[in-house]
């Protein structure tokens, strides 16, 4: 007998055998049956039942490339500009938050926004940031190209004219007297921007636990139930995985995570992977937290940063020599891999090494992943498919459309991030955000871009023939995502035997006006058959509220995608 039945829904299952249904029965965290109301309600017995009231029901969304573990640790500290319509509004938020931030805390705006989205179509200046927040340290990150630290942040970090810059690339802007202005530039490597952010205060362990739970709730509020975590700079394994491991141990995860290990020490990557291979193995873990491989950075010399405001970086000549032994070790030990690659020129060199090592060590059944690919050619896509790889694409270009057009021209912009051609290549394909230091973690912004072809400022990136249908775009966030963690048949569809990861959307994605897609949220979300998010019509089913974030956190006051503001509107509007 089922534990729970959802009925009277408009269910898109993404299962070819039963593409549409009205009801679903759930038992023991998995889907028992899918069908008509009459068929499923006949099984009801003493099961709990919830009326979907005709709303659209879809599989829980899967982000195939994000940085969820790192962001969870920081979510409570960040002021989000993801949906802010003007720079003046963003600066007003900084001013209001400065008035409520206690000594010892910073204000951070870290990714998810672009100057393209602002009415003013420009970036803030350091003088404007200093004017609205003269006394509280402020860090603002824009894409991969720059960040601003106000005077209070420079003082807190001891950065003055005598400060020695230990950065691999990039620099602090200085005035004629050698005094740092507060603007830091990546040229083209974003390492300096992240190094400066890493110097700021961090939450203690228990507050990181709470921050992560609130982040997961925000993701559930957008209908997301699974993610592939690509680690990132300054996220060291196993040291920085204590929070997510503890949440998993407590049974308090509401987003399934498959994590990859990201090399942290240039020139010592092989040593790192050998050490990690003694600690953990691929597929080790459980249904909510498991290691799924290595990447997205395998070696530092193979990483081509995608700052489109700056010329394409050429990978160093030593790259092949650095990469080959790492690939040999990982493939020999059957570690699935993924690697970051933005440019066609980089792809040729990376794939040549992979093909050579793969002939000896084998690539079979590894479901290896090629990430990004904004400028790759059709022949490169076919090369990935021939080697057994899949492509994970993201909407980073939607945040950088103006910069890309200015550098490469209108015609090149029309062809950038060629998802339609990727679909024709035969390679498995899924979507992600690459959140949060460039893109927003909101999957509906990415889906809106894929369907409309528009950037964050409303400017057209793709011509009509390059845009995806609504069904294609959503499939890349559901059924298609399971391949990338080797969980096909376990999730991504509303199908008997799969995890009961389900989202009831607040509007009909398939029929709403195109620009409304970006505003979609979930009214009800289930993870493993358990209700993890509920609002509006389903508010009676809302789980027990989480403990509140610290009273200085920007999130309750200003809100964030999937987490509407709950604090005083008067403060948020100041």
């Amino acid at each position: 007998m089922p534990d729970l039945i959802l009925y009277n829904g408009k269910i898109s299952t993404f299962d070819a055998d039963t593409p549409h249904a009205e009801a679903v029965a759930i038992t023991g965290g998995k889907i028992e049956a899918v069908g008509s109301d009459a068929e499923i309600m006949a099984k009801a017995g003493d099961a709990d039942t919830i009326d979907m009231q005709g709303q659209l029901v879809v599989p829980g969304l899967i982000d195939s490339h994000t940085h969820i573990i790192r962001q969870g640790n920081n979510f409570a500290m960040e002021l989000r500009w993801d949906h802010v319509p003007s720079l003046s509004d963003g600066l007003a938020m900084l001013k209001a938050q400065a008035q409520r931030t206690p000594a010892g805390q910073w204000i951070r705006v870290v990714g998810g926004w672009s100057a393209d989205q602002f009415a003013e179509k420009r970036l803030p200046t350091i003088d404007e940031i200093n004017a609205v927040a003269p006394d509280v340290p402020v860090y603002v990150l824009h894409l991969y190209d720059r960040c601003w630290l106000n005077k209070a942040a420079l003082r807190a970090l001891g950065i003055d004219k005598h400060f020695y810059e230990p950065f691999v690339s990039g620099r602090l802007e200085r005035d004629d007297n050698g005094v740092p202005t507060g603007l830091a530039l990546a040229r083209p490597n974003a390492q300096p921007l992240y190094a400066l952010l890493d110097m700021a205060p961090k939450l203690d362990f228990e507050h990181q636990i709470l921050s992560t739970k609130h982040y997961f709730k925000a993701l559930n509020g957008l209908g997301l139930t699974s993610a592939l975590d690509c680690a990132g700079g300054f996220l060291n394994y196993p040291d920085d995985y204590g929070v997510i491991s503890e949440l998993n141990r407590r049974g308090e995860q509401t987003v399934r995570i498959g994590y990859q290990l990201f090399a942290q020490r240039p020139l010592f990557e092989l040593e790192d992977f050998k050490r990690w291979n003694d600690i953990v193995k691929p597929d080790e873990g459980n249904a909510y937290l498991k290691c799924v491989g290595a990447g997205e950075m395998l070696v530092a010399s193979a990483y081509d940063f995608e700052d489109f405001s700056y010329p394409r970086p050429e990978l160093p000549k030593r790259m092949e020599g650095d990469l080959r032994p790492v690939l040999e070790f990982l493939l020999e030990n059957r570690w699935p891999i993924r690697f970051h690659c933005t440019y066609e020129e980089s792809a040729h060199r990376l794939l040549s090494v992979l093909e050579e090592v793969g002939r000896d060590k084998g690539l079979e059944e590894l479901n290896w992943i090629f990430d990004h690919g904004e400028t790759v050619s059709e022949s490169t896509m076919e090369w990935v498919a021939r080697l057994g790889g899949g492509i994970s694409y993201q909407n980073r270009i939607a945040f950088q459309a103006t910069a890309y057009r200015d550098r490469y021209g209108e015609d090149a912009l029309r062809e950038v991030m060629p998802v339609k051609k990727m679909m024709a290549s035969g390679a498995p394909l899924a979507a992600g955000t690459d959140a949060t230091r460039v893109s927003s973690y909101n999957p509906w912004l990415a889906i809106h871009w894929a369907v409309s072809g528009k950037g964050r400022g409303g400017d057209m990136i793709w011509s009509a023939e390059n845009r995806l249908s609504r069904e294609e775009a959503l499939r890349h966030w559901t059924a298609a995502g399971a391949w990338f963690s080797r969980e096909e048949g376990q999730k991504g569809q509303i199908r008997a035997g799969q995890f009961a990861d389900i989202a009831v959307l607040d509007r009909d994605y398939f029929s709403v006006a195109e620009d409304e897609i970006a505003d979609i949220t979930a009214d009800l979300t289930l993870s493993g058959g358990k209700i993890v998010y509920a609002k509006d019509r389903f508010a009676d089913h809302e789980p027990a509220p989480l403990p509140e974030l610290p009273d200085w956190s920007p999130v309750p006051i200003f809100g964030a995608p999937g987490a509407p503001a709950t604090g005083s509107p008067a403060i948020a509007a100041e």
Side-chain angles (χ1 to χ4, degrees):
M1 184 179 70
D3 302 320
L4 175 66
I5 288 177
L6 309 180
Y7 70 96
N8 189 25
K10 183 179 178 181
I11 303 176
S12 288
T13 67
F14 287 88
D15 173 14
D17 293 337
T18 310
H20 303 289
E22 296 174 318
V24 55
I26 297 167
T27 305
K30 292 190 175 182
I31 296 168
E32 177 185 317
V34 180
S36 68
D37 283 341
E39 291 169 332
I40 302 303
M41 291 302 287
K43 302 173 180 287
D46 294 329
D48 293 332
T49 60
I50 302 178
D51 183 354
M52 299 294 97
Q53 303 182 56
Q55 290 185 225
L56 180 63
V57 183
V58 300
L61 304 188
I62 302 169
D63 191 329
S64 72
H65 184 122
T66 188
H67 300 271
I68 185 173
I69 295 174
R70 180 180 66 193
Q71 180 60 15
N73 293 344
N74 295 291
F75 179 68
M77 299 188 290
E78 292 182 1
L79 181 67
R80 304 298 308 178
W81 280 359
D82 305 51
H83 291 272
V84 174
S86 71
L87 175 58
S88 62
D89 287 335
L91 292 170
M93 291 167 68
L94 282 181
K95 182 176 181 179
Q97 181 61 22
Q99 294 169 359
R100 55 190 304 276
T101 300
Q105 291 298 333
W106 287 40
I107 304 172
R108 307 157 207 244
V109 180
V110 182
W113 66 280
S114 164
D116 289 358
Q117 80 194 47
F118 290 154
E120 298 90 341
K121 301 297 181 186
R122 69 172 180 86
L123 296 169
T125 67
I126 191 60
D127 289 340
E128 289 173 321
I129 294 172
N130 279 317
V132 297
D135 303 315
V136 177
V138 175
Y139 174 101
V140 178
L141 176 68
H142 178 256
L143 307 176
Y144 287 116
D145 71 326
R146 69 191 66 205
C147 72
W148 297 265
L149 295 97
N150 70 345
K151 290 179 180 179
L154 293 175
R155 287 195 301 269
L157 297 181
I159 295 176
D160 58 19
K161 65 181 180 181
H162 303 294
F163 179 72
Y164 171 74
E165 300 181 30
F167 307 132
V168 175
S169 65
R171 60 181 174 81
L172 293 171
E173 181 187 68
R174 296 173 184 258
D175 65 18
D176 291 342
N177 296 314
V179 177
T181 64
L183 173 64
L185 298 169
R187 291 295 180 260
N189 190 317
Q191 185 267 345
L193 314 184
Y194 301 162
L196 290 165
L197 179 59
D198 194 59
M199 296 165 69
K202 298 173 177 61
L203 294 171
D204 64 35
F205 186 82
E206 285 302 323
H207 278 106
Q208 287 183 351
I209 290 270
L210 182 59
S211 174
T212 299
K213 291 173 73 170
H214 276 268
Y215 184 45
F216 287 178
K217 183 178 179 181
L219 293 170
N220 297 151
L222 298 166
L224 193 133
T225 56
S226 288
L228 288 184
D229 181 79
C230 299
F234 301 94
L235 190 75
N236 292 281
Y237 185 84
D239 305 26
D240 296 326
Y241 288 67
V243 168
I244 192 60
S245 297
E246 177 62 15
L247 281 173
N248 183 259
R249 187 192 67 78
R250 296 180 187 178
E252 295 178 350
Q253 253 184 275
T254 62
V255 179
R256 302 182 194 276
I257 297 175
Y259 63 88
Q260 278 101 359
L261 300 184
F262 181 111
Q264 299 288 331
R265 300 187 300 155
L267 302 180
F268 295 95
E269 296 95 345
L270 180 57
E271 184 178 307
D272 280 345
F273 284 119
K274 286 182 175 180
R275 176 168 53 87
W276 292 334
N277 187 57
D278 290 335
I279 300 172
V280 67
K281 295 291 191 292
D283 294 322
E284 189 173 298
N286 56 45
Y288 275 91
L289 183 66
K290 68 175 183 176
C291 177
V292 294
E296 65 183 291
M297 188 163 81
L298 300 176
V299 296
S301 57
Y303 212 77
D304 63 347
F305 279 89
E306 60 286 1
D307 176 2
F308 296 130
S309 70
Y310 196 74
R312 174 183 64 83
E314 189 74 40
L315 297 180
K317 292 181 179 179
R318 73 168 194 274
M319 184 277 290
E320 286 83 352
D322 292 346
L323 182 60
R324 187 173 290 105
V326 170
L327 282 178
E328 288 173 343
F329 176 80
L330 292 172
L331 298 188
E332 185 172 293
N333 287 276
R334 308 315 293 160
W335 275 72
I337 61 164
R338 69 187 306 160
F339 59 82
H340 165 114
C341 182
T342 303
Y343 297 99
E344 171 76 358
E345 294 83 355
S346 304
H348 272 254
R349 293 177 60 187
L350 291 165
L351 290 174
S352 294
V353 181
L354 180 62
E355 184 170 37
E356 177 187 336
V357 176
R359 273 196 298 265
D360 179 40
K361 304 296 183 182
L363 289 166
E364 299 80 11
E365 299 181 358
L366 287 182
N367 291 29
W368 68 270
I369 303 168
F370 182 104
D371 280 308
H372 314 313
E374 276 85 353
T375 74
V376 297
S377 67
E378 291 172 81
S379 62
T380 293
M381 302 169 203
E382 292 163 0
W383 193 359
V384 171
R386 192 166 63 250
L387 294 180
I391 301 173
S392 171
Y393 72 91
Q394 301 81 38
N395 63 322
R396 304 181 310 177
I397 191 62
F399 293 79
Q400 303 184 71
T402 298
Y404 195 89
R405 180 192 294 114
D406 290 348
R407 181 158 297 281
Y408 298 109
E410 194 75 34
D411 291 344
L413 183 66
R414 294 286 176 263
E415 298 297 325
V416 72
M417 199 68 257
V419 176
K420 274 286 192 180
K421 293 176 181 177
M422 291 176 179
M423 293 169 63
S425 72
L429 189 65
T433 58
D434 201 9
T436 57
R437 291 184 172 177
V438 172
S439 303
S440 171
Y441 61 82
N442 186 348
W444 297 103
L445 287 180
I447 293 169
H448 173 260
W449 156 76
V451 170
S452 70
K454 295 177 183 176
R456 290 293 291 122
D459 42 331
M460 191 58 67
I461 298 175
W462 288 339
S463 50
E465 63 270 17
N466 288 330
R467 299 172 210 157
L468 276 60
S469 72
R470 297 192 190 201
E471 193 277 339
E472 288 168 338
L474 192 53
R475 180 172 295 277
H476 291 165
W477 278 92
T478 54
W483 182 92
F484 289 73
S485 55
R486 297 180 306 288
E487 293 177 299
E488 290 176 290
Q490 297 181 54
K491 65 181 183 181
Q493 299 167 295
I494 298 178
R495 180 186 174 99
Q498 296 202 13
F499 294 130
D501 298 348
I502 295 170
V504 182
L505 304 184
D506 71 340
R507 66 199 80 184
D508 190 335
Y509 162 73
F510 292 105
S511 63
V512 296
E514 190 172 81
D515 284 346
E516 274 194 56
I517 293 173
D519 299 323
I520 289 175
T521 61
D523 277 350
L524 182 73
T525 304
L526 286 78
S527 174
K530 178 181 177 182
I531 295 172
V532 294
Y533 184 86
K535 67 174 174 63
D536 295 347
R537 291 180 177 178
F538 305 100
D540 289 347
H541 301 283
E542 185 178 9
L546 297 175
E548 292 184 359
L549 292 170
D551 59 10
W552 50 263
S553 172
V555 176
I557 299 299
F558 301 98
T566 58
S568 166
I571 295 176
E574 286 179 4

